[in-house]
Amino acid sequence: MTQPMSQELWRELVPQTLARLVRRYGADQFDHCEDAVQEAVLEAHRSWATRPPDDPQAWLATTARRRYIDLIRTDRRRREREQRVALLDEPLTAGSVSSESDDALLLLRLCCHPALPRTGQVALTLRAVAGLRTEQIANVYQLPEPTIAQRITRAKQRLKEHRDAL
C-alpha cells in the first residue's frame, strides 16, 4: 500500500498548478483558475486514495485545466441563457407597427396577464393568438379536452375579475 500524499507536497503542488493556469489564461481569470484548481484537488483526493499518479503535478495541472474549460463553458452558457431571458422580459415596443400588429400584441399581452396562472396563460394564448382548437391544445398537453376547456374558461373569468388592472 502506498503512502498518502504529504501536506508539504500538497502545499507545493496547489500553488504551482494555480500559477500555471493563471499564466496560461491571464490574471483576470484568477477566480476561475482558483476554482478549477480546487475542483482538481478534490478530484485528486478521490482518485489518489489508493495510488497517486506517477507525475502528480502533471495530473493535477491537466485536471485543473479541464475543470477551468468546463467552468468557462458553463459560465458562457449561463450568460447566454440570461441574455435570452432578458430579451424576453424587455417590454415590447413598436415604433412603426400597424394597428393590426398592435391588436395582436394587445391580445398576446392580455393572454399572458400576470394574474393568470402559467397553465391558463399558455392555454389561452394557444387558443386566442395561435388559433388552436381546444381539442388540439388538449392533444399537445396529453390531457382531457374538458380540462383544457376549464383552464381557458378560468383564465377568461380571471381576466374579467382583473379588468380594472388591464
Side-chain angles (χ1 to χ4, degrees), residues 32-147:
H32 287 305
C33 292
E34 190 175 38
D35 291 343
V37 170
Q38 288 175 1
E39 288 186 24
V41 168
L42 289 173
E43 180 64 28
H45 277 290
R46 286 189 292 265
S47 300
W48 301 358
T50 56
R51 181 174 167 266
D54 295 332
D55 186 357
Q57 178 62 52
W59 188 98
L60 195 61
T62 300
T63 304
R65 181 178 50 80
R66 289 176 181 160
R67 294 297 186 270
Y68 172 83
I69 291 168
D70 290 344
L71 286 169
I72 295 301
R73 286 178 181 158
T74 301
D75 190 49
R76 182 181 315 129
R77 284 191 298 268
R78 179 192 50 79
R79 276 187 271 116
E80 289 170 355
R81 278 192 308 272
E82 288 173 351
Q83 287 173 346
R84 284 194 304 268
V85 167
L87 287 174
L88 291 174
D89 287 344
E90 284 183 9
L92 299 173
T93 57
S96 61
V97 179
S98 69
S99 66
E100 187 176 304
S101 294
D102 285 343
D103 291 343
L105 181 60
L106 175 66
L107 185 59
L108 182 62
R109 289 182 64 200
L110 184 64
C111 290
C112 295
H113 192 276
L116 301 178
R118 182 73 61 197
T119 56
Q121 290 176 349
V122 174
L124 190 59
T125 301
L126 290 173
R127 176 74 182 270
V129 178
L132 297 179
R133 295 185 322 271
T134 306
E135 172 188 6
Q136 293 171 311
I137 300 167
N139 187 37
V140 169
Y141 275 107
Q142 296 292 306
L143 291 172
E145 191 174 340
T147 302

